[in-house]
Amino acid sequence: MESKNLENILESYFDRLWPLTRSLTGNANRETLSILSEIIPLNVHEVPSGTICYDWEIPSEWNPKEAWIKDENGNILVDFKKNNLHLLGYSTSYNGKLSFEELESHLYSLPEKPELIPYVTSYYSKRWGFCISHHQLKELKEHKGPFNVNIDAEHNIDGSLTYGDLLLEGTSSEEILFSTYICHPSMANDQISGMLVAAFLYQELSKIKDRHYSYRFIFVPETIGAIAYLKENGSILKERTRAGYIITCLGDKGKFSYKNTKQKDSLTNKVTLQVLKDNNIEFQEFPFVPLGSDERQYASPGFNLPVGSLMRTMYWHFEEYHTSADNKSFISFKHLRESIELYMKVIKTFEGNKKFINKFPYGEVQLGKRGLYPTLGRGNDKTQMVDAYIWILNYSDGKNDLLQIAELSNIPMNILIEASNILEKEGLINKIENF
Ligand code: ZN
């Protein structure tokens, strides 16, 4: 019942976020953050156009209003109001009458996927253009023209880039980072799924009391937004970040994927791989490569943050990627909900992973007299919980955390966490603070 509810809520937010023409900058990004703020109370920041961020400069603000191609009789042939992928991202304005030959160099299509509209942008060199299906390109070619072309897209040099963030504080200042991007127009898996998982993860996480870690949520346009964020917050992130994730591609019906962090033995990798193993989840594992999403900004040498990415089918690996086929029917809200649940398991593992000291280190503690051991000594009556007690007590010498014990014992983390809570209550082990 409750899970069906969440799926319906996810769908209603999806429908509101879908039509907005997000980009690096612009009012659609502000509106996106304002809708998401109903779920996660984001702090919204504006970075003025022209601001220098390391080797980059915040571009002019882009707000497209209209973009269409009409025939001589005024019939609309291409209209960005029907699908915002039709307009080249960051296109300049244009108005004129053109033959097909003159128009052709401003048209982008995918001959190998002739039904689909491609997602194309031209952020840093000024041009105008339309993205259309290859079928539609052929139709325009047959039509020959002339065509009336109109693009009304304001580039404001006095504008700004908008991003949102939120720090959910725990008892420790050590942070776990969740970053997602807000710069793609109408695409489902490679855009809206990430924003929704990040926002609802906050909602679930805020219900947990006594959080150890602090959790930082970042909603930025890809690349330039992450770089602007690092420019403003990088030194804090460098000091406090223990683990991090890029949240993207989480709504499709495929298997899970995990892209490792740049640092091989990071806590991010250990926790994620342990959760996937403990839950018998089939997944595809990818090494870190400095391509893809914003993990490459966070892991640039100046910051070197351990940011991985737990996804369903990874970008590049699905046919629908960066096309009009990455739409509502490509994803499912059940899969989106399950992605949130898996990330919550990851979070619970971070929270439960601790180091302990055995207060009775000389010989084995007698579990039976404390009601922690089956009273009938039949040998194979031991539960996994009893095994967990024995492993934890034996390895709690201040050096091993529960993750290490999980690896050695093959006991799932949720059992070890529960067992350690009981042992702590029984006064048999002490948690090491600030490990
Ligand atoms: Zn993308």
Side-chain angles (χ1 to χ4, degrees), residues 117-386:
I117 308 165
Y119 167 51
V120 188
T121 61
S122 182
Y123 295 137
Y124 299 103
S125 60
K126 284 203 154 76
R127 50 164 69 90
W128 65 267
F130 287 90
C131 306
I132 56 176
S133 74
H134 202 62
H135 286 327
Q136 204 168 12
L137 182 104
K138 280 188 187 159
E139 280 167 25
L140 294 181
K141 189 173 185 173
E142 275 161 30
H143 187 288
K144 293 193 182 94
F147 302 102
N148 289 314
V149 176
N150 180 52
I151 299 173
D152 178 3
E154 184 193 36
H155 279 260
N156 183 1
I157 53 164
D158 296 319
S160 58
L161 173 148
T162 315
Y163 72 81
D165 74 344
L166 182 114
L167 184 66
L168 180 65
E169 283 183 22
T171 54
S172 165
S173 62
E174 290 181 310
E175 292 182 8
I176 294 172
L177 172 159
F178 294 111
S179 183
T180 192
Y181 47 89
I182 57 163
C183 55
H184 291 33
S186 297
M187 280 180 287
N189 204 35
D190 180 23
Q191 179 55 95
I192 299 178
S193 78
M195 299 193 296
L196 286 179
V197 169
F200 279 91
L201 205 51
Y202 163 82
Q203 205 166 75
E204 293 300 311
L205 190 48
S206 61
K207 291 177 196 160
I208 299 181
K209 287 183 189 128
D210 307 325
R211 287 177 308 266
H212 170 73
Y213 288 103
S214 295
Y215 292 85
R216 185 179 291 267
F217 291 85
I218 305 172
F219 292 74
V220 284
E222 226 171 1
T223 311
I224 182 77
I227 291 170
Y229 194 83
L230 285 166
K231 174 81 180 167
E232 288 178 20
N233 305 285
S235 55
I236 292 174
L237 263 59
K238 209 172 153 174
E239 195 187 303
R240 299 184 185 166
T241 307
R242 286 292 309 270
Y245 296 87
I246 301 297
I247 310 275
T248 182
C249 297
L250 285 155
D252 69 278
K253 298 152 198 162
K255 276 195 296 204
F256 280 98
S257 311
Y258 179 60
K259 179 177 176 179
N260 280 257
T261 67
K262 191 176 173 187
Q263 307 75 8
K264 281 213 166 56
D265 57 356
S266 66
L267 186 61
T268 319
N269 287 353
K270 282 184 199 159
V271 167
T272 316
L273 295 169
Q274 186 68 42
V275 169
L276 288 162
K277 182 186 160 205
D278 286 352
N279 291 279
N280 291 315
I281 291 170
E282 236 193 295
F283 69 102
Q284 229 185 325
E285 192 172 353
F286 295 94
F288 178 85
V289 288
L291 305 159
S293 189
D294 285 329
E295 59 276 15
R296 67 183 193 263
Q297 312 308 335
Y298 296 117
S300 57
F303 299 104
N304 200 30
L305 305 181
V307 176
S309 193
L310 176 59
M311 297 162 270
R312 283 187 177 273
T313 310
M314 188 164 89
Y315 42 82
W316 309 330
H317 290 253
F318 52 95
E319 284 277 303
E320 296 79 358
Y321 173 70
H322 277 194
T323 72
S324 51
D326 183 2
N327 56 29
K328 192 172 175 179
S329 63
F330 178 57
I331 63 158
S332 100
F333 295 97
K334 174 177 168 278
H335 287 77
L336 202 55
R337 171 179 57 77
E338 287 171 359
S339 298
I340 298 169
E341 288 165 0
L342 184 59
Y343 262 106
M344 278 310 291
K345 287 185 174 144
V346 167
I347 286 169
K348 283 181 182 157
T349 305
F350 276 112
E351 289 289 326
N353 181 41
K354 289 169 192 155
K355 267 184 199 170
F356 296 94
I357 291 262
N358 182 341
K359 289 161 77 179
F360 300 88
Y362 304 107
E364 200 169 272
V365 168
Q366 200 188 345
L367 294 172
K369 71 178 183 194
R370 295 174 170 90
L372 299 176
Y373 200 90
T375 45
L376 199 61
R378 268 207 305 221
N380 53 5
D381 269 5
K382 280 200 285 88
T383 60
Q384 207 171 18
M385 191 60 91
V386 173

Side-chain angles (χ1 to χ4, degrees), residues 16-64:
R16 289 169 65 195
L17 292 163
W18 173 259
L20 302 174
T21 307
R22 283 165 292 269
S23 186
L24 294 187
T25 61
N27 290 327
N29 290 23
R30 291 187 190 100
E31 196 171 345
T32 295
L33 292 177
S34 137
I35 292 171
L36 292 170
S37 291
E38 295 170 18
I39 313 160
I40 169 172
L42 290 168
N43 303 303
V44 175
H45 308 260
E46 300 281 349
V47 188
S49 299
T51 305
I52 303 296
C53 300
Y54 300 115
D55 207 30
W56 296 66
E57 186 180 334
I58 301 297
S60 59
E61 183 179 322
W62 188 62
N63 284 303

Side-chain angles (χ1 to χ4, degrees), residues 52-78:
I52 303 296
C53 300
Y54 300 115
D55 207 30
W56 296 66
E57 186 180 334
I58 301 297
S60 59
E61 183 179 322
W62 188 62
N63 284 303
K65 290 187 183 71
E66 259 191 291
W68 44 254
I69 301 174
K70 290 181 184 171
D71 67 14
E72 294 173 285
N73 303 321
N75 298 312
I76 293 185
L77 305 174
V78 178

